Amino acid sequence: MAVVELFGTWFSPYAYRVIWALKLKGISYEYIEEDIRNKSPLLLQYNPIHKKVPVLVHDGKPICESTVILQYIDEIWPQNPLLPADPYDRAVALFWIKFADDKVYLMSKLYQADGEEQRAAVKEWLEMLEVMEENALIGGKKFFGGDEINMVDIAFSFVAHWLGVLEDVVGLEIFEPHKFPRVSSWIQNFKSIPLIKENLPDADKMSAFSKHGREMMLASKSN
Amino acid sequence: MAEEVVLLDFWPSPFGMRSRIALAEKGIKYEHKEEDLRNKSALLLQMNPVHKKIPVLIHNGKPVCESLIQVQYIDEVWHDKAPLLPSDPYQKATARFWADYVDKKIYEVGGRVWKTKGEKQATAKKELIETLKLLEKELGDKPYFGGESLGYVDVAFIPFYSWFYALEKCGNFSIEAECPKLIAWAKRCMQKESVAKSLPDQQKVYDFILEMKKHFGIE
């Protein structure tokens, strides 16, 4: 059987998307941890354009960009499908995946901001959460994928786990559960799934790591 | 049931052009509705409440938003003619990667070429050429990014060709001088009726950009 390798970093929400997809499909893979401050020659060879993780290498062939990787995985291993079979439903799912993908930058925007920039970043976060609440999670479904999670749930996972860490790092509460009841319900459901619960980076470890990095970054900003 | 296809569009939008090309490649009859983006129609706001943007493809009353998602949808529904995505999963992944690259780079960098001056413009021009050269390298000796026939990446990228003349005039540089193979590819695409009929005249686009510059107070 062809070898499957995944290049990732321990805190990357993008890497976790691929980990969950592979595990949902029951695919064994070799995980290679990358130090993003000292990228391996192999990573740079597999992803010369973006030089980023995750990279999936299947039978020696690299696939880059997490959403491209997830669609590839779904096509190669059709068990436990991550996207709807109907073309229209699939188009709707892909719309929400793109929406989530286009918002992940809000993580680093908030992380790097202080003062006025921080207020602007918080406003954007709230607008995003409102769209999720009012438009994405309608119909009373447990997950975006219905009774089971699919690629859309996986795409929004940064809201379920990484946002909490970010709030701790910047010392702000952005997500107030009573203001976003549907999103709140979804987060609880998502994180209760054993496969997800057992495969999440440690929040405290991420928080400590990020706080230190943020202190250094803000200090150099003011110099 | 008779198929009803509507495209909410705006003539200079490279994103709208993608869907126009895909529909034309498949020979699909559709109603083209031109939007005034300063006065968006109730239909647009209803069909794309999240982004309120064009293009929107409406198939039998149901909206599909985001141009590359529309192209994939068109390819899947009308799959018996002119396939745009390869059938092999790895080749499909490669096509999606490069379409994503075009999405991430060309519009934003191209925008900076006509919106800025001086140092910022020089940087934008340099970045644009680097980006185009990478795409030229990916094209290689193939007639199209899709191989022997027009494919997903071609459809994703060729609309921006209609903006090249405007960018060259604004930035005072020649894209053909830097990327001759890419221009040869673009001209090859333009020989296809589906592309030629979907792209606006380059002078018209330049006039539009000049109006935009005036509107935004850019010299």
Side-chain angles (χ1 to χ4, degrees):
Chain A
M1 198 181 80
V3 173
V4 179
E5 297 161 292
L6 172 62
F7 290 76
T9 54
W10 65 273
F11 51 82
S12 162
Y14 300 107
Y16 271 90
R17 289 172 168 191
V18 183
I19 289 170
W20 296 323
L22 289 168
K23 285 186 188 283
L24 275 164
K25 309 261 184 183
I27 306 302
S28 3
Y29 63 96
E30 188 196 327
Y31 176 79
I32 298 120
E33 176 71 21
E34 281 286 328
D35 176 357
I36 53 166
R37 291 159 303 184
N38 187 18
K39 292 168 183 176
S40 72
L42 204 51
L43 176 67
L44 300 177
Q45 180 198 319
Y46 283 140
N47 193 356
I49 306 284
H50 300 302
K51 307 177 174 55
K52 286 180 174 178
V53 293
V55 178
L56 185 80
V57 183
H58 184 210
D59 202 15
K61 297 180 293 188
I63 303 119
C64 309
E65 293 301 303
S66 64
T67 297
V68 176
I69 295 170
L70 290 181
Q71 286 183 85
Y72 175 81
I73 288 171
D74 206 35
E75 282 157 20
I76 292 277
W77 297 290
Q79 66 272 26
N80 294 339
L82 297 175
L83 283 173
D86 172 71
Y88 185 75
D89 295 338
R90 186 153 59 242
V92 174
L94 288 170
F95 173 86
W96 286 113
I97 293 163
K98 183 174 202 296
F99 178 84
D101 277 353
D102 288 346
K103 298 295 180 186
V104 187
Y105 83 98
L106 289 178
M107 296 279 303
S108 52
K109 186 166 183 178
L110 182 63
Y111 178 77
Q112 288 167 14
D114 54 359
E116 192 54 52
E117 280 178 2
Q118 192 182 70
R119 275 184 284 278
V122 172
K123 186 165 174 275
E124 280 194 64
W125 265 104
L126 293 172
E127 281 166 1
M128 194 271 289
L129 289 165
E130 275 212 40
V131 173
M132 268 182 92
E133 182 73 23
E134 298 303 318
N135 297 81
L137 273 164
I138 47 176
K141 294 183 302 192
K142 196 172 172 195
F143 300 110
F144 288 97
D147 293 325
E148 312 266 351
I149 59 166
N150 73 358
M151 213 184 283
V152 183
D153 300 271
I154 290 174
F156 276 114
S157 58
F158 71 101
V159 175
H161 186 65
W162 280 262
L163 175 57
V165 174
L166 188 57
E167 285 174 311
D168 186 49
V169 169
V170 305
L172 282 175
E173 190 193 10
I174 293 157
F175 181 79
E176 292 171 89
H178 69 277
K179 288 191 174 166
F180 305 101
R182 289 190 194 112
V183 179
S184 187
S185 232
W186 170 78
I187 291 173
Q188 282 177 42
N189 291 334
F190 183 73
K191 291 181 88 164
S192 306
I193 298 167
L195 187 138
I196 301 295
K197 202 159 69 169
E198 288 154 24
N199 293 284
L200 280 173
D202 183 74
D204 293 331
K205 190 179 170 193
M206 272 204 291
S207 197
F209 175 77
S210 304
K211 271 180 182 161
H212 176 67
R214 189 165 183 265
E215 270 157 37
M216 293 202 329
M217 180 215 34
L218 289 175
S220 71
K221 248 172 116 174
S222 60
N223 280 350
Chain B
M1 180 170 93
E3 300 275 20
E4 201 202 72
V5 182
V6 179
L7 184 68
L8 304 183
D9 201 357
F10 179 52
W11 70 268
S13 163
F15 307 104
M17 289 174 219
R18 288 167 168 177
S19 299
R20 286 175 229 164
I21 297 169
L23 288 164
E25 278 288 297
K26 304 281 184 177
I28 300 160
K29 287 197 167 35
Y30 67 99
E31 189 190 341
H32 184 268
K33 283 196 164 149
E34 187 69 14
E35 285 282 333
D36 175 0
L37 297 185
R38 292 157 305 182
N39 187 19
K40 292 172 181 177
S41 72
L43 185 62
L44 173 58
L45 300 177
Q46 180 199 336
M47 291 289 151
N48 191 356
V50 174
H51 300 301
K52 306 174 175 56
K53 286 182 173 178
I54 58 92
V56 181
L57 180 79
I58 310 172
H59 184 205
N60 295 331
K62 297 192 295 187
V64 178
C65 305
E66 299 296 336
S67 61
L68 288 180
I69 296 174
Q70 289 161 11
V71 173
Q72 274 194 118
Y73 176 78
I74 289 164
D75 202 36
E76 279 164 24
V77 173
W78 292 278
H79 52 260
D80 39 7
K81 189 183 174 190
L84 296 170
L85 272 165
S87 45
D88 172 71
Y90 189 75
Q91 287 178 20
K92 222 188 275 202
T94 304
R96 287 187 177 126
F97 174 87
W98 285 104
D100 174 70
Y101 180 79
V102 169
D103 249 13
K104 280 182 161 78
K105 291 290 207 178
I106 305 288
Y107 189 72
E108 192 270 326
V109 179
R112 276 189 279 129
V113 170
W114 69 264
K115 285 177 188 168
T116 64
K117 308 182 288 186
E119 197 60 51
K120 285 190 176 160
Q121 193 187 52
T123 304
K125 278 158 62 177
K126 186 166 170 283
E127 275 189 56
L128 182 66
I129 295 298
E130 279 167 7
T131 301
L132 294 176
K133 282 197 160 142
L134 261 171
L135 283 156
E136 199 178 46
K137 188 170 164 215
E138 172 57 22
L139 176 68
D141 293 322
K142 305 193 295 287
Y144 304 98
F145 285 92
E148 293 304 310
S149 57
L150 202 76
Y152 187 66
V153 181
D154 303 277
V155 175
F157 185 26
I158 192 61
F160 295 98
Y161 175 65
S162 66
W163 282 54
F164 279 7
Y165 175 70
L167 296 181
E168 286 172 322
K169 293 283 279 185
C170 292
N172 193 28
F173 69 127
S174 163
I175 293 173
E176 183 157 16
E178 304 273 1
C179 308
K181 276 185 152 182
L182 204 62
I183 298 302
W185 159 81
K187 291 181 176 168
R188 192 176 302 126
C189 288
M190 288 295 286
Q191 289 186 347
K192 301 198 68 120
E193 198 182 339
S194 61
V195 178
K197 288 202 163 165
S198 301
L199 264 55
D201 173 67
Q202 299 211 24
Q203 179 67 50
K204 208 177 161 194
V205 173
Y206 180 47
D207 294 337
F208 170 74
I209 295 283
L210 289 177
E211 252 188 67
M212 295 267 275
K213 280 171 74 126
K214 235 190 283 178
H215 179 73
F216 286 110
I218 305 160
E219 276 297 296

